Amino acid sequence: MIESAKIDGASELKIFWRIIIPLSQPVIADLAVLSFTWRWNDYIWPLLVVSSPKYMTLQLGLALFSGEHTVQWGSLLAMTTLSMIPVMVVFLAFQRYFVKGITMGSLK
């Protein structure tokens, strides 16, 4: 496709915006979802950096539900379920690009 665009007289920038970016949208969407999920679930770096409970991330707050000898399972599981909502929203926002990538491979 790139070579045929060059033969048709398209510039490098036009090839990039009209061919390469649309073909790589599923990969970019996958990278966005995975990157958001990794940052959302990050635990060690905020644990090292944050010193005040006022600035704790959600994952650090979830760790507070487990004490030295007891774990508040009901509260922990409820808050863990609620913490999954932003990840699900991001996934659903990019889902059409995943489907587009799957169907693009089946077309001639």
Side-chain angles (χ1 to χ4, degrees), residues 82-94:
L82 288 176
S83 73
M84 290 172 27
I85 291 173
V87 176
M88 295 297 286
V89 167
V90 169
F91 175 76
L92 292 174
F94 287 103

Side-chain angles (χ1 to χ4, degrees), residues 96-108:
R96 64 182 168 151
Y97 296 109
F98 297 135
V99 173
K100 182 179 176 184
I102 292 169
T103 59
M104 194 181 317
S106 65
L107 297 176
K108 285 187 177 182

Side-chain angles (χ1 to χ4, degrees), residues 15-43:
I15 292 171
F16 181 73
W17 285 109
R18 298 282 177 126
I19 296 173
I20 295 174
I21 292 293
L23 288 175
S24 62
Q25 280 180 346
V27 175
I28 294 170
D30 184 42
L31 181 65
V33 170
L34 289 177
S35 179
F36 176 78
T37 304
W38 288 331
R39 299 304 177 262
W40 181 258
N41 290 328
D42 200 8
Y43 178 77

Side-chain angles (χ1 to χ4, degrees), residues 61-66 71-82:
L62 288 173
L64 294 177
F65 284 109
S66 58
V71 177
Q72 300 173 6
W73 287 108
S75 301
L76 180 65
L77 293 176
M79 293 307 293
T80 303
T81 303
L82 288 176

